[in-house]
């Protein structure tokens, strides 16, 4: 009888695409996929280092597995498994911990392991991780997340991602185009290009060879592939968002008018302490250029509140900066301490209650920004890609510029692009 496997993702779109790829590898070996709340022979949890309480979440999930399937094999992988393998291995019920270089060898590792009550750790130093494995999500959602880049060469003082994922490395343009053609042949309409630091696409090695390709060139090539109707850029650092890329998006019918650009702080003093590679003036210039060329463009912003040393005045600077900036929504993160980061040495620490209050203020601002952005488009007809899932008698979709639409469920609209008057 076939073995069964259930997988669970914590964290970002990159992890989501990697979990999908691990699932495909396991299915190719004969495993049958189950939902995570069902009984299975093997459970895989793909962890995140950015999520608060990654260890608590992991413990909670492992306990829930032990209750429903005490004999099942439990595998933990992902960023947290790379950063804290011993800690993960000590969780009762964990059988196998796979580091960054080993997650795509999961089928081999499962052949070599038996349930002994002791967790086996398969991990190496992150400096030795230099391979790139393309991943994409499929059949899980209407949009497909395609990983084209991994790792990061920056050293932002709050961030553990370079320690969990290693140096920047990418796929080649030729491989990405092949993957995109294959996805198009299976009916995929929209691809979200995903990476840790997408703007650095092409930097670093691929298969031991140095590539000289750029993210701009990748977009140029993808624009010409038949079959795929939409691309989105998941996120791009402001200093790597070149005017050429903005112009390409403006002239492209396929790359959607939607940018997600991490700002993190609107205070130059805080940006310096965060070791970010730009000043707020550059950010403002990029937003200004985008909105001049594409007034309908959606712009999302990541921002962190309560970074050490952030005074009330610094926060007010961030708030006022975002208030006047022509952006569409915010993703607000409350700063939390991470082991082995430079930010731990910066004083004074902001009390948690103040961090939470600042978060609340920016979430309110985000709500107002999104209302305003949506209001500007009322009466316009825009193209909506409707998702497959039926929710009650309703369905959801997104316009080209990422306005969420809810409509009565119509089967023929699922995974199709429909003109819609907002
Ligand atoms: S750019 Fe900074 S925040 Fe983003 S992954 Fe790299 S180090 Fe982390």
């Amino acid at each position: 009888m076939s073995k069964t496997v259930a997988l669970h993702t914590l964290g970002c779109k990159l992890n989501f695409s990697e979990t999908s790829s691990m699932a495909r590898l396991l299915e190719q070996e004969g495993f049958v996929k189950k939902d995570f709340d069902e009984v299975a022979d093997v459970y895989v949890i793909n962890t995140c280092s950015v999520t608060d309480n990654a260890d608590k979440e992991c413990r909670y999930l492992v306990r829930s597995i032990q209750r429903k399937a005490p004999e099942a094999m439990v595998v933990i992988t992902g960023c947290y498994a790379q950063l804290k393998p011993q800690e993960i291995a000590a969780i009762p019920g964990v059988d196998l911990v796979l580091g960054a270089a080993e997650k795509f060898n999961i089928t081999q590792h499962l052949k070599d392991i038996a349930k002994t009550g002791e967790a086996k750790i398969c991990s190496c130093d992150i400096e030795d991780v230099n391979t790139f494995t393309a991943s994409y999500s499929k059949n899980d959602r209407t949009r497909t997340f395609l990983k084209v880049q991994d790792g990061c060469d920056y050293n932002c003082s709050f961030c553990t991602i370079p320690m969990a994922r290693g140096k920047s490395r990418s796929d080649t343009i030729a491989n990405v185009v092949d993957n995109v053609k294959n996805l198009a042949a299976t009916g995929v309409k929209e691809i979200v290009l995903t990476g840790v630091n997408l703007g650095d696409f092409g930097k670093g090695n691929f298969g031991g060879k140095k590539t000289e390709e750029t993210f701009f060139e990748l977009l140029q090539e993808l624009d010409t592939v038949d079959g795929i109707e939409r691309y989105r850029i998941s996120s791009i650092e402001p200093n790597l968002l070149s005017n050429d890329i903005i112009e390409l998006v403006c002239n492209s019918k396929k790359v959607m008018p939607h940018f997600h650009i991490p700002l993190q702080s609107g205070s130059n003093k805080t940006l310096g302490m965060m070791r970010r590679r730009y000043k707020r003036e550059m950010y403002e210039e990029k937003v200004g250029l985008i909105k001049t060329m594409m007034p309908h463009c959606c712009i999302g912003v990541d921002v962190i509140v309560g970074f050490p040393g952030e005074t009330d005045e610094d926060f007010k600077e961030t708030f006022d900066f975002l208030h006047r900036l022509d952006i569409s929504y915010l993703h607000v993160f409350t700063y939390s301490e991470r082991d082995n980061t430079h930010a731990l040495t910066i004083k004074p620490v902001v009390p948690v209650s103040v961090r939470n209050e600042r978060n609340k203020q920016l979430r309110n601002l985000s709500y107002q920004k999104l209302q305003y952005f949506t209001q500007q488009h009322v009466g316009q007809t825009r193209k909506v890609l409707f998702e497959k899932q039926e929710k009650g008698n309703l369905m959801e979709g997104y316009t080209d510029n990422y306005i969420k639409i809810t409509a009565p469920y119509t089967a023929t609209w699922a995974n199709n692009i429909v003109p819609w008057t907002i």
Side-chain angles (χ1 to χ4, degrees):
M1 223 171 59
S2 302
K3 281 201 158 194
T4 53
V5 62
L7 301 97
H8 187 83
T9 309
L10 300 169
C12 62
K13 291 165 182 166
L14 200 59
N15 265 14
F16 183 69
S17 71
E18 291 184 339
T19 307
S20 290
S21 289
M22 281 189 272
R24 274 193 300 279
L25 288 173
L26 288 159
E27 282 174 319
Q28 281 161 17
E29 284 291 309
F31 279 89
V32 175
K33 212 171 128 192
K34 293 272 182 183
D35 284 341
F36 202 78
D37 52 10
E38 288 181 284
V39 171
D41 299 311
V42 177
Y43 289 85
V44 181
I45 304 173
N46 193 8
T47 61
C48 170
S49 65
V50 177
T51 320
D52 271 335
N53 304 324
D55 58 334
K56 273 196 206 130
E57 266 186 85
C58 211
R59 269 170 217 280
Y60 171 79
L61 290 168
V62 175
R63 262 203 308 274
S64 77
I65 295 167
Q66 283 186 307
R67 276 196 298 272
K68 65 188 165 220
E71 296 307 315
M73 189 67 74
V74 178
V75 184
I76 314 287
T77 186
C79 294
Y80 196 59
Q82 175 66 38
L83 286 176
K84 303 262 176 88
Q86 307 291 350
E87 207 172 283
I88 299 268
I91 299 175
V94 172
D95 299 293
L96 180 61
V97 181
L98 295 179
E102 299 301 329
K103 57 190 158 206
F104 295 109
N105 296 329
I106 185 166
T107 54
Q108 189 53 47
H109 286 295
L110 282 173
K111 281 181 195 153
D112 298 342
I113 192 169
K115 202 165 174 69
T116 61
E118 285 265 308
K120 182 176 171 192
I121 298 175
C122 302
S123 182
C124 64
D125 282 351
I126 198 64
E127 289 76 32
D128 299 329
V129 178
N130 57 14
T131 53
F132 179 85
T133 309
S135 308
Y136 57 86
S137 62
K138 227 179 139 274
N139 292 334
D140 301 284
R141 292 184 188 174
T142 302
R143 280 178 289 163
T144 288
F145 296 95
L146 175 64
K147 175 181 140 189
V148 300
Q149 186 272 344
D150 200 348
C152 181
D153 294 345
Y154 287 18
N155 60 346
C156 301
S157 58
F158 52 82
C159 184
T160 54
I161 292 175
M163 290 179 254
R165 285 190 166 268
K167 289 264 176 219
S168 181
R169 56 215 188 270
S170 319
D171 211 338
T172 61
I173 292 178
N175 281 354
V176 177
V177 168
D178 277 351
N179 281 332
V180 164
K181 283 182 179 161
N182 291 338
L183 288 168
T186 63
V188 168
K189 300 271 168 43
E190 180 171 316
I191 290 179
V192 184
L193 301 171
T194 311
V196 171
N197 194 341
L198 267 187
D200 262 352
F201 175 90
K203 207 174 149 198
N205 292 313
F206 181 81
K209 277 190 258 150
K210 193 144 186 69
T211 67
E212 300 290 339
E213 298 174 334
T214 66
F215 188 58
F216 173 70
E217 289 163 354
L218 174 69
L219 292 176
Q220 272 184 319
E221 281 299 318
L222 291 179
D223 220 15
T224 64
V225 178
D226 286 337
I228 296 296
E229 301 194 39
R230 291 179 162 195
Y231 299 101
R232 271 180 216 281
I233 301 167
S234 66
S235 170
I236 186 162
E237 289 288 307
N239 51 312
L240 299 173
L241 176 57
S242 66
N243 295 355
D244 284 349
I245 294 176
I246 296 172
E247 205 174 307
L248 184 149
V249 173
C250 180
N251 294 323
S252 169
K253 292 216 161 34
K254 295 193 181 212
V255 188
M256 293 296 100
H258 175 201
F259 288 102
H260 194 93
I261 319 169
L263 169 70
Q264 311 306 19
S265 173
S267 142
N268 280 339
K269 182 194 103 187
T270 309
L271 284 175
M273 292 195 301
M274 288 176 163
R275 296 180 170 164
R276 301 289 290 166
R277 300 189 180 190
Y278 52 86
K279 295 237 179 340
R280 66 188 215 157
E281 289 74 16
M282 175 201 261
Y283 195 96
E284 194 165 15
E285 211 179 280
K286 298 285 172 192
V287 169
L289 181 63
I290 293 168
K291 293 305 270 192
T292 306
M293 295 178 86
M294 294 168 274
H296 58 290
C297 190
C298 180
I299 302 179
V301 182
D302 284 341
V303 58
I304 297 173
V305 291
F307 186 79
E310 185 188 65
T311 62
D312 286 346
E313 291 71 43
D314 298 331
F315 175 69
K316 190 170 181 314
E317 257 192 69
T318 296
F319 187 95
D320 292 346
F321 182 69
L322 288 166
H323 189 262
R324 69 165 190 269
L325 215 55
D326 194 359
I327 47 116
S328 321
Y329 64 89
L330 305 170
H331 281 174
V332 187
F333 299 88
T334 302
Y335 171 78
S336 65
E337 286 75 6
R338 292 281 181 273
D339 287 352
N340 302 317
T341 54
H342 175 73
L344 290 179
T345 64
I346 302 172
K347 300 283 177 295
V349 165
V350 178
V352 170
S353 58
V354 176
R355 298 182 204 180
N356 292 340
E357 175 52 34
R358 290 177 186 169
N359 183 307
K360 199 165 127 195
Q361 287 186 39
L362 284 189
R363 272 188 292 127
N364 283 340
L365 180 64
S366 176
Y367 180 75
Q368 289 166 26
K369 291 277 180 189
L370 193 57
Q371 292 281 96
Y372 178 70
F373 178 69
T374 309
Q375 281 298 324
Q376 286 174 311
H377 294 86
V378 171
Q380 286 186 16
T381 301
R382 306 206 75 90
K383 288 182 178 168
V384 176
L385 173 60
F386 280 104
E387 296 182 352
K388 291 178 196 156
Q389 296 88 347
E390 187 175 353
K391 294 187 177 170
N393 292 326
L394 302 173
M395 66 199 307
E396 288 174 349
Y398 286 89
T399 62
D400 55 342
N401 58 347
Y402 212 58
I403 295 172
K404 189 173 174 178
I405 303 293
T406 306
Y409 185 79
T410 309
T412 51
W413 291 353
N415 200 29
N416 273 316
I417 292 174
V418 179
W420 186 266
T421 304
I422 298 169

